[in-house]
């Protein structure tokens, strides 16, 4: 086929258009949860995101945000579009990669394929590329503003580029492709380090093309590739910064030169050295060495995008995480020091006693020079608890219990002496148990499960931790699924109709295995190249990450590079079908039949995945941020906990300019010195926080923990206590038996004297509630110590004097200092007020400002399309604490309204939450019981009966499924059986209490049957 190359190019761009169109149609309409909101914020104003940052991603994002023009609400969509295009380019390069590898399988190097062969080759590229385009994990990252789509594009571009080099390796100037590859790798460091995992595959392409393959040559190439990868990750990336740091320290502290003089000299010196190397090797005709130095030069140029972070950090933008304004803080930023260490080659088990510790130092600017400062404590553990390849290392109780479950840990006994000098026996895991955890959890649950999601099928999008009902892979073939997950003929309508229940009947997996075997038989060299890419971007990441159990979210997006590699085999699988058919039919007909059969793979993927990947029309994250901020009075302080109630708020303020008078304070970051210092600065319309402590009082290593030693058994004024804690006088510090001085609170009982006239004048309390104001707010901190973030919360409250409204997004969270009885619910946030309200249960913490909550819920707040039928709500949205609380909060509002005899308003509230969270999208939960009782109390009997009947039938469907399971499977869902049985019992009881005998009789006999089964099972 003479015009094969031209058709290959045109068809690739056509596949690009298909992918781009699908992604644009299903793209998130605004900012998303997790890191996406922060990424958009960082790109739009070139601010500093969390470590290790993504400066080149930020620069690309800034370019795309320019297309939003003056409409700030379009900035997020512009950034999302960047991910769409990056993902579509990934598909384009994947297509060309597959056609390159496929051509090698059936056509000699310089020959042109016949028409039939060309159709088969192009079909293999189209099928493989489209299959990957519509896989679960890749589609997910393609429609939101995260770095993974752009990272995938760089991965695909590098892998395609090395194949282009392979085509022309013996021609003049071929090495320019290698130079391009190193430059792309340098740029990709500023997006995500995942791209570096292509290095071993690149080395093998080079080895196979330039050398005769031998056993030891293969081993040498493998060793060299891993060494090169390690050199880039552990020597080059941190080495440049650490070298610059040494020059900076020398020039500033020894030569007494200004700040940054050492860094500037290092940059000039390094590039001068590279320039000399290039000149010298060109002069001496040392081609290989010249290429290596040129590669080092361009990768350094690409890596230089990190200077953006230093420049922007010195400008003190509102979001300036870790403030990497010096070369030393940049090094800590790149090393992700704030997230701690995880062992890789050697390390300790979870129950290893600490036998020693030492402080790790960094340098900070002070008085024109650099002085040593505390960075973190490094602990040394008992050597008897050390192991190679440690997998079970976290000491957290919930992690330990999961280690024992997944690893079936029995342990071996080791006798130790505890901190009290007593002898005790600890059971340390064996290496076999350590390996079992690695295989069952880290490989099986945290990689293989994700792999099967993409190429076999997915049960649902609920995050699973090894249970029967959530997040498993399924095939859609009932007998196969029944072996693992129980009777598939008894699945409830909720399970069957869940949009994220996707079944591919193993078709992608089967076609990929065909392609894997076919390539192994026909082209072992390229088989090993693809295999390296598959393993290093999959299971090797599992080894490197060494993840603990109970991850806060599913991590399948980390392995899209591995799924990319498997999709190459899916494409090659078309050739396997083509060659099989060629034994019976003519080439063109064989190609057509192969493509027709294989087309079922991408069609199955797009048909099954469309409904749960279509995020068009969604504005949840943005609107929830709007609601959080508009729960607050002007100039408020709002304490937030995690990513999902902080990042969207930053986006709303920084990008769209919503409520910039509110100071958002992230409690987990408030434990760091740099963040606390930033809170003392003015930001937009928000005044500095009332923090009186100097930086030296809370610098890292100082007052990280404040112990509570109850020396005074009575409440003390909060301001006096904070002055006591912030005093460096030895008399205000506690001396331990070993002579060490520690900071402490002399009581766990605190009080805050209230100026009633002031709180009324400031509008903290309404005049009609003046009689509820307490003379003193008194509370107790029920723990042995408080951490720095909690200390700073108390510091802010002590100094606020009711000048600014103080809010919390939840009644507990990352910093619980015992104030829950003084919180007032005002929408999506709880205001600190001098009115004490004892909680009747965990759902009724604090009091409620009924009028304000009603106005917010019914008139002011925006809901992001929750109630819209064609707007997809995935479990990621459903499980946010906010959505989980909505039914409870609406119901509590309705109960308050009924207590005030505002019956119609109460009914409107319950009607509204039923519209917002329809049961076909948001399943019934225990908070629905409150809605039923509200309807009955409001004499809306028919509505109450309908809701009760629907909930009871829902429980019955669940129980019928649970009791269809085998006994060992029923034990896995004991909690669910108990919960549904208790709810059904409660529903029958409610019907009886409210005189609904017909409804009661409808379910009473069914309840009794299930109760009998329950008692038999628990006897």
């Amino acid at each position: 086929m003479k015009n094969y190359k031209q058709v290959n190019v045109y068809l690739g761009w056509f596949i690009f258009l298909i992918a781009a169109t699908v992604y644009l149609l299903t793209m998130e309409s605004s900012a998303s949860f997790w890191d996406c909101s922060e990424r958009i914020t960082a790109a739009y104003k070139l601010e500093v995101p969390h470590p290790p940052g993504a400066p080149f991603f930020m620069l690309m994002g800034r370019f795309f945000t320019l297309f939003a023009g003056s409409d700030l609400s379009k900035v997020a969509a512009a950034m999302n579009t960047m991910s769409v295009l990056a993902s579509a380019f990934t598909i384009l390069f994947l297509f060309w990669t597959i056609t390159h590898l496929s051509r090698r399988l059936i056509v000699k190097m310089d020959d042109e394929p016949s028409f039939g062969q060309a159709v088969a080759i192009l079909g293999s590229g189209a099928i493989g590329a489209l299959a990957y385009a519509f896989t679960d994990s890749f589609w997910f990252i393609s429609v939101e503003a995260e770095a993974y789509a752009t990272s995938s594009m760089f991965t695909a571009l590098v892998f395609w580029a090395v194949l282009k080099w392979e085509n022309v390796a013996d021609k003049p100037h071929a090495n320019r492709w290698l130079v391009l590859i190193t430059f792309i790798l340098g740029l990709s460091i500023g997006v995500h380090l995942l791209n570096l995992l292509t290095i071993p595959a690149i080395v093998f392409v080079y080895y196979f093309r330039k050398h005769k393959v031998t056993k030891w040559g293969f081993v040498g190439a493998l060793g060299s590739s891993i060494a090169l990868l390690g050199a880039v990750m552990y020597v080059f990336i941190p080495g440049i910064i650490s070298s610059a740091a040494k020059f900076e320290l020398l020039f500033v502290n020894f030569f007494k030169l200004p700040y940054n003089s050492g860094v500037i000299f290092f940059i000039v010196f390094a590039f001068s050295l590279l320039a000399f190397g290039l000149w010298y090797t060109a002069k001496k005709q040392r081609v290989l060495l010249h290429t290596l130095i040129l590669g080092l030069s361009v990768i350094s140029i690409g890596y230089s995008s990190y200077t953006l972070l230093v420049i922007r950090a010195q400008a003190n933008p509102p979001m300036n995480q870790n403030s990497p304004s010096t070369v030393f803080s940049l090094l800590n930023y790149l090393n992700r020091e704030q997230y701690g260490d995880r062992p890789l080659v050697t390390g300790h088990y979870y129950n290893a006693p600490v036998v020693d510790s030492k402080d790790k130092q960094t340098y900070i600017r002070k008085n024109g020079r650099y002085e040593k400062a505390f960075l973190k404590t490094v602990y040394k553990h008992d050597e008897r608890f050390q192991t190679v390849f440690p997998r079970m290392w976290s000491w957290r109780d919930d992690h330990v219990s999961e280690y024992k479950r997944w690893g079936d840990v029995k342990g071996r006994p080791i006798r130790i002496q505890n901190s009290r000098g007593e002898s005790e026996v600890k059971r340390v895991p064996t290496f076999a148990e350590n390996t079992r955890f690695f295989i069952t959890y880290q490989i099986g649950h945290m990689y293989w499960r994700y792999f099967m999601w993409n190429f076999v099928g997915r049960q649902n999008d609920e995050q699973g931790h090894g249970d029967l009902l959530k997040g498993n892979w399924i095939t859609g073939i009932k007998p196969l699924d029944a072996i693992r997950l129980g009777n598939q003929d008894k699945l409830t309508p909720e399970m069957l109709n869940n949009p994220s229940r996707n079944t591919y009947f193993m078709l992608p997996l089967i076609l990929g295995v065909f392609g894997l075997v076919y390539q192994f038989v026909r082209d072992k060299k390229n088989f090993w190249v693809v295999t390296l890419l598959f393993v290093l971007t999959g299971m090797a990441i599992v080894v490197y990450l060494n993840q603990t159990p109970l991850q806060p979210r599913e991590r399948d997006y980390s392995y899209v590079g591995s799924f990319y590699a498997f999709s190459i085999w899916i494409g090659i699988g078309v050739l396997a079908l083509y060659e099989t058919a060629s034994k019976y039919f003519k080439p063109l007909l064989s190609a057509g039949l192969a493509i027709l059969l294989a087309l079922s793979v991408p069609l199955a993927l797009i048909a099954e995945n469309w409904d749960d990947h279509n995020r068009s029309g969604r504005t949840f994250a943005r609107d929830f941020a709007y609601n959080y901020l508009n729960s607050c009075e002007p100039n408020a302080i709002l304490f937030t906990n995690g990513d999902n109630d902080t990042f969207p708020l930053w986006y709303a303020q920084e990008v769209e300019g919503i409520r910039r008078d509110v100071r958002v304070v992230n409690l987990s970051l408030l434990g760091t010195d740099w963040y606390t210092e930033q809170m003392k600065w003015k930001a937009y319309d928000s005044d500095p926080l009332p923090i009186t402590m100097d930086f030296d009082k809370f610098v890292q290593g100082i007052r990280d923990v404040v112990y509570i030693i109850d020396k005074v058994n009575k409440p003390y004024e909060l301001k006096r206590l904070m002055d006591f804690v912030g005093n460096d006088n030895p008399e205000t510090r506690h001396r331990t038996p070993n002579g060490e001085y520690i900071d402490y609170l002399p009581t766990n009982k605190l009080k805050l004297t209230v100026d009633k006239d002031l709180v009324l004048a400031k509008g903290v309390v309404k005049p009609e509630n003046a009689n509820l104001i307490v003379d003193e707010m008194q509370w107790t901190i029920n723990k042995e110590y408080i951490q720095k973030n909690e200390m700073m919360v108390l510091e802010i409250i002590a100094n606020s004097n009711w000048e600014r409204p103080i809010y919390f997004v939840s009644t507990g969270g990352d910093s619980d200092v015992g104030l829950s009885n003084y919180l007032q619910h005002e929408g999506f946030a709880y205001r600190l007020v001098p009115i004490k309200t004892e909680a009747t249960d965990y759902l009724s913490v604090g009091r409620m400002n009924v009028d304000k909550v009603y106005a917010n819920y019914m008139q002011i707040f925006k809901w992001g399309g929750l109630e819209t039928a064609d707007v997809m709500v995935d479990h990621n949205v459903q499980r946010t604490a906010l959505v989980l609380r909505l039914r409870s909060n609406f119901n509590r509002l309705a109960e308050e309204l009924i207590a005030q005899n505002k019956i119609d308003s109460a009914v409107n509230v319950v009607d509204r939450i039923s519209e917002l969270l329809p049961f076909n999208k948001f399943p019934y939960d225990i908070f629905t019981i409150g809605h039923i009782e509200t309807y009955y109390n409001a004499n809306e009997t028919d509505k109450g009966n309908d809701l009760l009947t629907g909930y009871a039938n829902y429980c019955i469907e669940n129980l019928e499924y649970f009791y269809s399971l085998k006994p060992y499977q029923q034990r896995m869902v004991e909690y669910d059986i108990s919960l549904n049985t208790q709810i059904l019992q409660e529903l029958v009881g409610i019907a009886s209490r409210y005189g609904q005998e017909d409804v009661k009789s409808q379910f009473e006999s069914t309840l009794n049957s299930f109760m009998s089964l329950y008692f038999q099972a628990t006897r």
Side-chain angles (χ1 to χ4, degrees):
M1 184 176 179
K2 293 183 179 180
N3 59 344
Y4 167 79
K5 289 184 179 180
Q6 191 174 19
V7 174
N8 186 40
V9 171
Y10 290 155
L11 184 57
W13 284 106
F14 180 68
I15 297 298
F16 168 89
L17 286 175
I18 292 175
T21 301
V22 169
Y23 296 151
L24 281 170
L25 290 173
T26 59
M27 182 183 75
E28 184 110 16
S29 300
S30 183
S32 307
F33 284 114
W34 296 106
D35 294 351
C36 299
S37 301
E38 186 210 33
R39 298 285 192 193
I40 298 168
T41 303
Y44 181 63
K45 290 191 172 178
L46 296 183
E47 301 187 39
V48 182
H50 68 275
F56 191 69
F57 176 82
M58 288 165 51
L59 288 171
M60 294 176 66
R62 176 57 184 148
F63 172 76
F64 273 85
T65 61
L66 296 174
F67 292 97
S70 60
D71 188 351
L72 299 180
S73 66
K74 301 297 184 185
V75 170
M79 277 282 287
N80 293 343
T81 303
M82 183 179 79
S83 289
V84 162
L85 294 178
S87 297
F89 273 111
T90 303
I91 301 307
L92 172 66
F93 292 123
L94 175 58
F95 171 83
W96 286 334
T97 296
I98 295 173
T99 56
H100 172 94
L101 295 172
S102 297
R103 182 174 176 176
R104 288 294 176 84
L105 286 165
I106 60 175
V107 181
K108 291 182 179 181
M109 177 75 78
D110 298 321
D111 291 352
E112 286 292 327
S114 66
F115 188 75
Q117 289 175 327
V119 171
I121 292 168
L122 296 170
S124 69
I127 296 297
L130 290 176
Y132 182 62
F134 306 136
T135 52
D136 178 76
S137 298
F138 188 70
W139 197 341
F140 182 87
I141 65 171
S142 297
V143 293
E144 64 179 18
E146 243 289 19
Y148 293 98
T150 310
S151 174
S152 296
M153 181 188 70
F154 278 111
T155 299
L157 175 58
V158 165
F159 197 67
W160 169 79
V162 76
L163 297 179
K164 293 291 288 183
W165 168 84
E166 184 189 27
N167 278 340
V168 296
D170 297 326
K171 297 180 180 179
H173 309 298
N175 285 352
R176 59 188 176 183
W177 283 102
L178 299 178
V179 175
L180 174 64
I181 289 168
T182 52
F183 179 61
I184 295 169
L185 287 174
L187 291 176
S188 73
I189 295 172
V191 177
H192 204 287
L193 295 181
L194 285 175
N195 305 277
L196 299 179
L197 297 173
T198 58
I199 289 176
I202 294 169
V203 170
F204 266 83
V205 171
Y206 185 91
Y207 169 69
F208 289 142
R209 188 67 174 84
K210 288 289 190 178
H211 299 277
K212 182 179 179 181
V213 179
T214 64
K215 180 177 68 174
W216 290 110
F218 185 93
V219 172
L222 179 62
S224 299
S225 66
I226 300 301
L228 182 58
L229 174 60
V232 174
M233 291 186 64
Y234 297 109
V235 178
F236 173 76
I237 292 177
I240 286 181
I241 307 301
S242 61
S243 298
K246 291 174 182 177
F247 273 84
E248 176 73 358
L249 193 63
L250 175 68
F251 275 63
V252 174
N253 282 17
F254 185 76
F255 296 142
K256 310 299 182 184
L257 293 174
Y259 289 133
N260 298 323
S261 57
V263 174
I264 293 170
F265 179 85
F266 171 78
I267 293 172
V268 173
F269 173 74
F271 277 98
S272 298
L273 200 62
L274 290 170
F276 173 78
L278 291 172
W279 170 80
Y280 181 81
T281 53
K283 181 179 179 182
K284 298 295 184 179
Q285 296 295 303
R286 304 284 296 275
V287 177
L288 180 59
L289 185 57
H290 182 83
T291 304
L292 289 173
I293 296 175
L294 187 58
L296 184 61
S297 301
V298 296
I299 198 173
S300 300
I301 293 171
Y303 181 37
S304 67
S305 65
Y306 268 92
T307 58
L308 171 69
L309 297 178
V310 179
I311 294 168
R312 294 300 295 147
Q314 291 184 351
N316 294 322
M319 185 175 75
N320 187 9
Q321 297 203 52
N322 291 71
S323 188
S325 55
T326 72
V327 68
F328 298 101
S329 55
L330 178 62
L331 183 62
N332 298 331
Y333 182 91
L334 287 173
N335 290 335
R336 299 167 58 94
E337 296 284 1
Q338 77 178 63
Y339 298 117
D341 300 316
R342 60 180 183 273
L344 187 58
V345 179
T346 62
H348 62 275
Y349 285 118
Y350 53 80
N351 57 352
V354 174
V355 296
D356 195 9
S357 66
K358 63 178 181 180
D359 292 341
K360 186 175 181 180
Q361 304 290 330
T362 186
Y363 287 91
I364 61 173
R365 288 177 175 177
K366 195 169 184 179
N367 301 323
R369 63 193 300 273
Y370 289 102
E371 293 188 1
K372 285 185 177 181
F374 173 82
L375 179 61
K376 64 180 182 181
T377 301
V378 179
Y379 297 99
K380 182 180 179 181
H381 297 84
D382 190 324
E383 291 185 357
R384 294 174 296 173
F385 291 75
Q386 298 287 111
T387 184
V388 294
F389 195 62
R391 300 286 100 186
M392 299 188 288
W393 52 272
S394 173
W395 50 266
R396 275 179 39 178
D397 290 341
D398 54 345
H399 291 169
V400 171
S401 63
E402 291 295 302
Y403 285 144
K404 292 178 178 178
R405 179 168 75 94
W406 287 95
D408 191 21
V409 175
K410 302 295 188 295
R412 55 185 175 85
I414 292 182
R415 186 169 295 278
I416 66 164
Q417 212 174 35
N418 61 28
S419 58
R420 298 184 299 274
E422 301 167 344
S423 178
E424 68 172 273
V425 174
K426 283 194 173 185
R427 302 195 72 85
V428 61
T430 65
F431 187 74
E433 292 164 345
N434 178 72
T435 305
R436 186 183 299 124
F437 171 78
F438 168 66
I439 294 172
T440 58
Y441 180 77
Q442 292 187 332
I443 293 292
H445 188 72
M446 295 301 290
Y447 173 76
W448 183 248
R449 180 171 62 104
Y450 298 146
F451 176 85
M452 299 296 271
W453 278 5
N454 285 274
F455 303 111
V456 173
R458 186 174 182 179
Q459 181 185 33
N460 53 50
D461 63 353
E462 296 183 52
Q463 185 172 4
H465 298 292
D467 47 291
L468 195 67
L469 303 176
K470 299 177 182 178
N472 297 292
W473 60 268
I474 57 174
T475 65
I477 303 170
K478 289 184 178 181
L480 289 179
D481 294 332
I483 295 171
R484 296 168 43 252
L485 303 176
N487 190 342
Q488 299 294 291
D489 291 319
K490 283 288 187 177
L491 296 181
T492 69
E494 180 196 350
M495 295 174 181
L496 288 170
N497 298 326
N498 189 325
S500 57
R501 179 182 175 85
N502 301 320
T503 54
Y504 320 131
F505 303 101
M506 302 180 70
L507 294 175
L509 177 67
I510 292 169
L511 187 59
V513 171
F514 281 171
L516 182 155
V517 173
Y518 182 74
Q519 190 183 37
F520 176 75
V521 172
R522 299 293 298 270
D523 185 4
K524 286 186 173 59
K525 291 181 179 180
N526 282 319
F527 167 80
W528 288 115
V529 171
V530 177
T531 299
L532 264 177
L533 184 65
F534 175 71
V535 172
L536 287 172
T537 54
M539 284 176 279
I541 294 178
V542 173
V543 174
Y544 174 74
L545 293 177
N546 200 2
Q547 290 170 328
T548 60
L550 305 177
Q551 289 289 305
R553 61 183 292 198
E554 298 284 18
R555 302 295 190 184
D556 56 301
Y557 53 83
S558 299
Y559 310 110
V560 290
S562 184
F563 309 150
Y564 173 96
F566 189 80
S567 297
I568 293 174
W569 285 323
I570 289 179
I572 293 174
V574 177
L575 287 189
L577 295 176
Y578 164 74
E579 184 161 293
T580 302
S582 295
K583 297 175 182 178
Y584 308 100
F585 306 104
K586 292 182 178 180
L588 183 58
L589 180 58
S590 298
L593 288 173
I595 293 170
L596 190 62
L597 283 173
L599 191 61
S600 61
V601 170
L603 289 178
L605 288 167
I606 192 173
E608 286 289 302
N609 291 346
W610 181 283
D611 55 355
D612 56 308
H613 288 78
N614 181 8
R615 298 199 230 171
S616 60
R618 275 178 37 165
T619 56
F620 301 142
R622 183 265 181 205
D623 287 354
F624 284 8
Y626 174 91
N627 296 344
Y628 273 124
L629 293 169
N630 282 289
S631 296
C632 302
E633 294 296 319
N635 202 31
I637 299 169
L638 176 60
F639 291 107
T640 62
N641 295 317
D643 295 352
N644 281 336
D645 55 29
T646 302
F647 292 166
L649 273 64
W650 287 349
Y651 161 81
Q653 291 185 318
E654 294 290 313
V655 177
E656 297 197 22
I658 299 170
R659 292 298 307 273
R660 287 177 171 173
D661 60 302
V662 177
R663 177 58 65 94
V664 176
V665 186
N666 183 273
L667 288 170
S668 58
L669 295 179
L670 197 60
T672 63
D673 51 17
W674 53 268
Y675 185 76
T676 301
E677 184 68 12
Q678 291 171 12
M679 292 297 101
K680 296 165 69 174
W681 306 340
K682 183 178 177 64
Y684 300 113
D685 301 325
S686 171
D687 294 328
L689 295 190
I691 298 173
T692 59
M693 287 187 184
D694 294 331
F695 184 78
D696 290 344
K697 304 281 188 180
F698 54 80
V699 69
Q700 197 77 2
I702 303 297
R703 295 181 177 87
D704 291 339
V705 172
V706 176
Y707 294 90
I708 298 175
I709 303 173
D710 200 2
K711 295 184 176 181
V712 185
N713 191 24
K714 64 176 183 179
Y716 253 66
E717 192 68 33
L718 178 60
K719 178 59 178 173
R720 287 185 61 191
L721 285 174
M722 298 315 298
D723 290 342
F724 180 90
V725 170
N727 195 329
D728 289 331
N729 191 319
E731 294 181 1
T732 65
R733 309 183 80 201
H734 178 76
R735 186 173 183 177
T736 63
N738 62 5
E740 179 186 2
Y741 283 95
I742 61 173
D743 297 290
Y744 77 105
L745 282 172
T747 179
N748 68 340
K749 299 175 179 62
L750 293 76
K751 70 176 182 179
L752 183 65
T753 302
V754 179
D755 183 336
K756 293 187 178 181
D757 293 334
L758 179 63
V759 297
L760 289 169
K762 295 292 183 182
V764 179
V765 177
K766 294 180 181 179
E768 59 266 30
N769 294 324
N771 62 309
L772 301 176
I773 300 174
V774 296
D775 295 325
E776 293 179 343
M777 294 171 59
Q778 294 189 14
W779 69 96
T780 302
I781 300 178
N782 294 312
K783 42 191 168 185
E784 296 179 352
Y785 61 86
I786 59 173
Q787 299 185 62
K788 185 180 293 181
N789 58 345
E790 296 165 319
M791 177 187 75
M792 298 315 301
V793 170
L794 295 175
E795 164 81 356
I796 291 166
I797 294 172
N799 297 322
S800 67
N801 197 29
W802 306 107
E803 291 294 327
R804 299 177 68 173
I806 295 176
Y807 289 84
F808 296 82
V809 298
S810 68
T811 56
D814 287 352
S815 181
D816 185 1
V817 291
L819 286 165
S820 58
N821 287 338
Y822 295 98
L823 297 180
Q824 177 172 279
H825 190 201
E826 297 196 350
F828 274 17
Y830 297 81
R831 185 175 184 175
L832 185 67
V833 295
I835 298 175
K836 187 171 185 178
T837 308
E838 296 284 354
T840 56
D841 56 57
Y842 75 98
L843 296 175
S844 303
V845 176
R847 68 193 305 273
M848 177 176 280
N849 183 337
V850 175
D851 293 340
K852 184 174 181 180
V853 173
Y854 185 87
N856 281 335
Y857 282 179
M858 303 298 287
Q859 300 164 11
I860 298 173
F861 283 179
K862 301 178 180 181
W863 303 104
L866 279 176
E867 75 278 28
T868 307
D870 58 352
V871 172
M872 188 272 293
V873 181
D874 57 23
H875 187 65
N876 187 45
V877 173
Q878 290 189 30
R879 80 186 188 113
T880 60
L882 182 60
V883 172
L884 291 175
R885 292 200 308 262
L886 277 181
R887 279 186 179 141
S888 172
N889 290 344
F890 267 79
N891 192 70
R892 186 179 174 192
L893 173 61
E895 290 174 349
E896 295 277 356
L897 289 167
I898 286 179
Q900 296 178 9
N901 202 33
K902 298 178 180 179
I903 306 301
D904 291 342
S905 295
V907 173
N908 289 338
V909 166
V910 181
D911 287 345
R912 181 59 177 148
I913 190 59
S914 298
E915 294 171 357
L916 284 176
L917 304 182
F919 295 107
N920 63 329
K921 293 175 70 172
F922 297 86
Y924 295 91
D925 55 39
I926 59 172
F927 305 126
T928 309
I929 292 175
H931 302 348
I932 296 168
E933 293 188 302
T934 297
Y935 277 139
Y936 284 148
N937 288 327
N939 294 319
E940 292 285 347
T941 305
D942 290 342
K943 290 182 178 180
N945 286 342
D946 289 344
L947 193 52
L948 189 151
T949 300
Y951 198 3
N953 285 326
Y954 172 82
C955 293
I956 290 170
E957 290 167 353
N958 287 338
L959 289 168
E960 287 176 343
Y961 167 70
F962 296 146
Y963 284 116
S964 75
L965 301 173
K966 296 176 181 178
Y968 79 92
Q969 292 172 327
Q970 289 183 27
R971 288 193 292 271
M972 297 174 68
V973 293
E974 282 179 349
Y975 172 80
D976 301 276
I977 292 174
S978 175
L979 178 64
N980 279 269
T981 303
Q982 291 177 37
I983 291 173
L984 186 58
Q985 186 177 24
E986 176 68 13
L987 292 172
V988 171
I990 289 172
S992 178
R993 288 199 302 274
Y994 286 94
Q996 305 303 309
E997 293 300 323
D998 290 344
V999 178
K1000 174 188 174 183
S1001 61
Q1002 182 180 349
F1003 299 109
E1004 192 169 26
S1005 61
T1006 305
L1007 169 65
N1008 291 335
S1009 299
F1010 284 128
M1011 291 291 289
S1012 176
L1013 291 171
Y1014 179 71
F1015 287 131
Q1016 290 177 24
T1018 56
R1019 184 173 301 163

